[in-house]
Amino acid sequence: MGSLKRGLYEVLVTEALERQLGGLDAGLEPIRSALRAPEAADRIALHLARVIERAVNSVPEDERAVIGLDLTRRLIDLIRQLPKTGDFGTERPAQAGDVLQSIVSRLPDGELDVVVAPMIPLLDTTLLTNAPGEPRVGNQILAEIRSADGIDVVMAFIRYSGIAPLLEGLRRHLADGRRLRVLTTTYTGSTEGRALDALDELGAEIRVSYDTSSTRLHAKAWLLHRNSEFSTAYIGSSNLTHSAQISGLEWNVRVSGARNPGVIAKVAAVFESYWNSTDFEAYDGDAFRARTEAERGGPRIILSPTDLRPEPFQERLLEQIALARLQGHHRNLLVSATGTGKTVIAAIDYLRLRESLPRARLLFVAHREELLTQTLATFRQALRDPAFGELWVGGRSPVAFDHVFASIQSLSAAGLENLDARHFDVVIVDEFHHAAARSYRTLLEHLKP
């Protein structure tokens, strides 16, 4: 251990560390505690593992396997001499020193049905970020499906583009008589019925939470059970969408059950609690569509008896936008973390603009129908008008063109030659990082709100 500084440590005090503690700088004092019996096995094993790793790495590389295996046998022989520990003689490495990679069956033609190992060894816990040259989380999950004896998935949003590359692997998994359980939600309207239908047709067990007010499950995790005790889990930011699985800047931790059994056990326990919760209902395609599809004119909402009021941090953002406009800046970018209510801020900002503008024709642009439907509901709530706004998406066209919630695809398909550049007084673009695309640039260069 290097020079000791102020901070937290959770290590056994070795003879070398004892000498270091005796020479601490003035003003520093070590705080010790006795090794607790419930933690003894874990702490001692961790310490011994680190010592063995350093020792084996210190010998020439071509001798490490032979010396390391011999050391292991001698240590186990010492453990066998301890009273009341049982017989650990069978834990001594076999003389050949082999590593068991897998156990496979034979195909009807007699060939071995080889199970391909994932790029990341099952022993490794690591972080995946979809960075260039790094394994993609979607590809890694696909590689692990073949060796899983059971799979549990909890995913806030599931889209067909995200599940499509995995369907063949999941089909084979289920055809082999293995279990697949899926938990998802309808929060923000992002989960697609066709994606759940595809999983349902394969034989997956699916449960859905329709609660968009209190539950708001935002977890994304895969748990791949293996009877060999080498289970793994993927926990992070990636929903089941194509970009999240392949190209998005996502962070996901791949947890090894061999290294971190406590994490795997907790993931399994929490999944079971969700699975057995009354918040989740067995998936039925017709019921799903009946409860999630919006009416042609937009979402059906029941207005709350209270007004939509901004939180203090939202009010500060609204004040900054108002100040920017007073200074002559009428193209403003609002940046705020996911889930902090940017749509609410936009709706309240528009409500206030209406009071000062002689005319307040609105164009709200997004790239997905689900976002437009949800946003229209928020604006109707903010304006206390259940008939406010029209959708321009998925074959639906506005009639009045006064307050339009349009997809960029519908605007591009219609062309801009018939749209007066000054028709709309207020333009709001959702998910503005998409604005680098040509379709958005063309629209923004044409409009003069």
Side-chain angles (χ1 to χ4, degrees):
M1 186 175 291
S3 177
L4 295 175
K5 306 291 185 182
R6 176 186 179 277
L8 294 174
Y9 299 84
E10 290 192 12
V11 294
L12 291 178
V13 178
T14 62
E15 293 174 359
L17 182 55
E18 190 75 82
R19 288 194 295 271
Q20 284 185 280
L21 292 173
L24 279 178
D25 294 341
L28 295 178
E29 188 71 25
I31 305 298
R32 304 171 182 243
S33 64
L35 179 61
R36 298 175 62 248
E39 299 174 344
D42 178 66
R43 300 300 172 86
I44 292 170
L46 177 62
H47 176 73
L48 190 56
R50 289 173 174 172
V51 172
I52 293 172
E53 183 177 11
R54 293 202 305 272
V56 174
N57 278 330
S58 68
V59 303
E61 187 171 355
D62 59 350
E63 300 177 32
R64 287 176 188 172
V66 173
I67 292 176
L69 290 168
D70 180 62
L71 175 61
T72 304
R73 295 188 192 99
R74 289 160 61 187
L75 287 171
I76 291 175
D77 286 341
L78 286 174
I79 293 172
R80 293 175 67 191
Q81 298 174 25
L82 296 175
K84 301 179 181 179
T85 57
D87 184 9
F88 287 89
T90 56
E91 298 297 327
R92 297 172 83 249
Q95 199 62 40
D98 293 335
V99 174
L100 176 64
Q101 297 289 354
S102 62
I103 296 176
V104 301
S105 58
R106 290 190 179 274
L107 296 169
D109 62 0
E111 293 293 322
L112 293 178
D113 186 12
V114 177
V115 180
V116 179
M119 185 178 299
I120 302 172
L122 296 182
L123 279 173
D124 291 357
T125 290
T126 189
L127 173 68
L128 299 174
T129 63
N130 281 354
E134 181 181 89
R136 299 290 194 257
V137 63
N139 295 337
Q140 284 304 297
I141 290 173
L142 180 59
E144 292 205 26
I145 288 173
R146 185 73 183 94
S147 61
D149 295 299
I151 301 173
D152 291 331
V153 182
V154 54
M155 199 64 55
F157 314 141
I158 301 178
R159 301 183 66 80
Y160 190 81
S161 63
I163 203 68
L166 306 175
L167 287 177
E168 180 55 31
L170 294 174
R171 183 199 64 74
R172 185 170 180 180
H173 172 85
L174 289 159
D176 288 342
R178 296 167 182 166
R179 190 176 196 183
L180 170 61
R181 297 187 295 177
V182 179
L183 289 172
T184 191
T185 78
T186 59
Y187 182 47
T188 77
S190 294
T191 295
E192 291 182 330
R194 64 185 293 227
L196 300 187
D197 288 341
L199 291 170
D200 185 50
E201 289 170 5
L202 294 181
E205 301 172 64
I206 306 168
R207 295 187 180 178
V208 181
S209 170
Y210 293 97
D211 186 351
T212 59
S213 59
S214 60
T215 305
R216 296 189 178 183
L217 176 73
H218 211 247
K220 300 105 178 180
W222 290 75
L223 178 55
L224 297 106
H225 300 273
R226 293 184 178 85
N227 298 332
S228 63
E229 299 182 0
F230 282 83
S231 297
T232 52
Y234 289 80
I235 307 166
S237 64
S238 290
N239 278 298
L240 263 172
T241 64
H242 180 268
S243 62
Q245 295 291 311
I246 303 298
S247 60
L249 298 179
E250 307 280 346
W251 283 30
N252 296 275
V253 173
R254 196 295 206 105
V255 181
S256 164
R259 300 277 193 196
N260 308 100
V263 176
I264 297 295
K266 183 165 186 178
V267 173
V270 174
F271 183 91
E272 290 297 335
S273 70
Y274 288 172
W275 186 259
N276 294 306
S277 168
T278 56
D279 290 331
F280 292 87
E281 304 176 20
Y283 175 69
D284 175 88
D286 292 336
F288 179 89
R289 276 172 276 280
R291 296 175 70 167
T292 58
E293 286 186 352
E295 295 178 317
R296 180 177 179 85
R300 175 177 19 183
I301 66 169
I302 300 175
L303 294 180
S304 166
T306 59
D307 291 332
L308 202 60
R309 297 181 183 276
E311 297 291 337
F313 77 91
Q314 294 174 322
E315 188 63 64
R316 287 194 293 273
L317 290 171
L318 286 163
E319 290 172 358
Q320 290 178 24
I321 295 172
L323 177 60
R325 292 192 181 115
L326 288 174
Q327 295 173 339
H329 303 297
H330 293 281
R331 293 195 173 202
N332 298 294
L333 175 68
L334 173 64
V335 182
S336 186
T338 300
T340 53
K342 291 185 288 294
T343 304
V344 171
I345 296 173
I348 295 175
D349 181 51
Y350 175 73
L351 175 63
R352 294 176 180 179
L353 279 173
R354 278 166 53 111
E355 299 174 359
S356 59
L357 294 175
R359 189 186 66 180
R361 287 179 178 165
L362 169 69
L363 174 64
F364 190 102
V365 185
H367 66 290
R368 291 209 319 268
E369 182 173 351
E370 307 92 281
L371 293 174
L372 292 168
T373 302
Q374 181 191 19
T375 300
L376 179 53
T378 301
F379 272 69
R380 287 178 174 178
Q381 188 69 52
L383 274 65
R384 315 293 299 155
D385 182 357
F388 176 83
E390 299 175 289
L391 288 172
W392 191 358
V393 62
R396 284 171 285 184
S397 297
V399 176
F401 286 90
D402 286 332
H403 312 109
V404 178
F405 293 75
S407 71
I408 187 64
Q409 296 88 346
S410 295
L411 288 166
S412 298
L416 301 177
E417 59 270 16
N418 296 318
L419 176 59
D420 184 343
R422 297 189 180 278
H423 178 82
F424 293 107
D425 307 294
V426 179
V427 176
I428 303 171
V429 180
D430 196 20
E431 303 275 7
F432 194 74
H433 55 275
H434 291 291
R438 180 182 299 175
S439 56
Y440 278 89
R441 293 203 310 271
T442 301
L443 176 68
L444 294 175
E445 289 168 2
H446 175 75
L447 295 174
K448 301 186 186 306

